[in-house]
Amino acid sequence: MSENEFMEVHIYTLGNGNGWRNLGKDNFGTGGYWGEGIFASGVLYWLDYGLERIFPFDLAEEKFCEYMSLPLPPDYDSEDQYELGVLNGYLCFAINLIVNEAECSDVRLLKKKYDNHGTKEGEGHSSMCWSEEFRIFDSESFALTKSCNILTYNGSRININDLEASTSKTLVDFTERFGGVFPHKNTLVSLKELGEEDAKIMESVEFEETKP
């Protein structure tokens, strides 16, 4: 997308019966690549790899908010890889680094700012800041436990990392390598009750094993 090009934004609200609505055009002036949207606390976040910025879309206000700069370290190398994700409802930013010849990831969470009295400051993205949380080695994080241990995966294993003791233990080894882990949370929301008449439950499909 060049400086003279724009994005046309459409939104679909479940159950209102209006289908897709056009919210207008936004000119971000970028030729970069946008990753998939990440949802956290009522906001969708898109990462622009070209401009190295994050563009938040507020679902309640149905509009894009002011862009956010990436929390890159001072010694950032343009070849360092980074990504957005969600940990316990917080937007997280993870950057992959090489420290003492070992691969690791520095993870930061986007949280509310606190004033000198320990109370949260204001609303909106101006009241948010990146908090450096932890560094993990050789794994990708996907969840925090109630005791503030971090769950990670690497190759075929799911590990639990004690951040205070700097120890790691394998919880499950699937023996076969997998590409990612997607945390699941049950919901009582019914699409039919929201007015989606065409909502259908996918049925399981059995495949016959093919013999060589």
Side-chain angles (χ1 to χ4, degrees):
M1 188 169 62
S2 69
E3 293 183 358
N4 297 323
E5 293 179 329
F6 57 85
M7 281 190 177
E8 192 169 78
V9 183
H10 296 254
I11 192 168
Y12 186 99
T13 303
L14 290 173
N16 69 354
N18 295 325
W20 287 97
R21 293 178 288 114
N22 189 337
L23 299 184
K25 302 175 181 178
D26 281 282
N27 184 354
F28 297 104
T30 172
Y33 165 70
W34 280 39
E36 64 182 20
I38 302 296
F39 176 77
S41 301
V43 179
L44 277 171
Y45 297 89
W46 275 276
L47 175 57
D48 187 315
Y49 290 93
L51 291 179
E52 295 183 345
R53 295 173 178 174
I54 299 171
F55 290 89
F57 182 82
D58 190 308
L59 292 176
E61 298 291 334
E62 295 188 352
K63 66 179 183 181
F64 279 96
C65 306
E66 183 178 356
Y67 73 83
M68 303 160 54
S69 299
L70 300 184
L72 298 172
D75 56 349
Y76 165 68
D77 188 306
S78 59
E79 295 185 358
D80 292 336
Q81 296 182 337
Y82 51 79
E83 62 182 352
L84 290 181
V86 178
L87 277 178
N88 285 24
Y90 295 106
L91 183 72
C92 75
F93 176 84
I95 181 168
N96 299 327
L97 305 169
I98 302 294
V99 177
N100 297 328
E101 300 183 352
E103 294 183 4
C104 67
S105 295
D106 277 357
V107 180
R108 294 167 171 82
L109 302 182
L110 188 65
K111 293 184 175 182
K112 286 282 187 181
K113 293 180 182 178
Y114 287 83
D115 60 22
N116 294 332
H117 302 287
T119 58
K120 294 181 180 179
E121 292 184 356
E123 297 294 337
H125 287 88
S126 61
S127 65
M128 309 288 282
C129 66
W130 291 102
S131 171
E132 186 170 352
E133 296 294 320
F134 51 84
R135 171 175 289 176
I136 55 175
F137 286 85
D138 297 326
S139 300
E140 295 193 47
S141 57
F142 67 91
L144 284 169
T145 68
K146 292 182 178 179
S147 55
C148 293
N149 293 325
I150 185 74
L151 295 179
T152 62
Y153 65 91
N154 185 9
S156 63
R157 301 185 302 274
I158 292 181
N159 307 316
I160 185 168
N161 299 263
D162 188 322
L163 300 178
E164 292 186 0
S166 298
T167 58
S168 177
K169 181 176 67 174
T170 297
L171 293 179
V172 184
D173 190 340
F174 293 98
T175 65
E176 294 185 1
R177 186 179 182 87
F178 52 84
V181 175
F182 304 93
H184 170 74
K185 180 181 291 186
N186 289 330
T187 175
L188 299 178
V189 175
S190 167
L191 293 179
K192 289 188 176 181
E193 290 181 0
L194 288 174
E196 295 299 309
E197 297 179 356
D198 294 332
K200 297 179 180 179
I201 298 176
M202 296 182 62
E203 297 180 357
S204 60
V205 178
E206 295 184 0
F207 293 91
E208 293 185 2
E209 184 176 355
T210 57
K211 298 181 179 181

